[in-house]
Amino acid sequence: MHNLWIPVVAILAVAAMIFGGQAYSEAERDAHIAALIGDRLDSQTPAEISHLARVNKGYGVCGDYALSGADTGRFYYNSATERLALGTAAPLYRDNCANVSH
């Protein structure tokens, strides 16, 4: 019975590293998107992003953004190509987020 604790603890430690790393990378990605939107719109502060939806097998993110100056809109970000599309009229947004409900 004592020998079972070592594999159990090892499995839990590996699971924590995998899922913890994934959560950290998603938070890092979200911060990058918020800063990129702020830069694109010449804002001094990053945008606040919400209603995020993963698309394209997890490579893309659709969502809403808001800036402190009451500017709001929708965006699409492709993490593989690092391309950002702002607004529902943007072709990248229409191609990837048209069927996503917010």
Side-chain angles (χ1 to χ4, degrees):
M1 183 70 167
H2 183 273
N3 291 336
L4 287 176
W5 284 107
I6 294 171
V8 169
V9 169
I11 289 170
L12 291 176
V14 169
M17 287 189 305
I18 291 171
F19 293 114
Q22 182 178 357
Y24 178 75
S25 68
E26 286 183 14
E28 203 172 62
R29 179 206 62 206
D30 294 350
H32 176 71
I33 293 170
L36 200 58
I37 292 171
D39 289 346
R40 177 83 59 90
L41 299 175
D42 294 325
S43 174
Q44 298 294 336
T45 59
E48 298 211 11
I49 58 176
S50 60
H51 304 107
L52 303 179
R54 291 174 137 194
V55 294
N56 297 341
K57 299 179 183 174
Y59 289 108
V61 178
C62 298
D64 297 337
Y65 69 87
L67 292 171
S68 59
D71 285 337
T72 61
R74 294 197 169 157
F75 73 89
Y76 167 74
Y77 178 76
N78 185 313
S79 59
T81 62
E82 297 189 357
R83 292 180 65 190
L84 174 69
L86 297 178
T88 56
L92 274 175
Y93 182 89
R94 284 194 319 259
D95 292 345
N96 296 285
C97 303
N99 297 326
V100 176
S101 62
H102 287 281

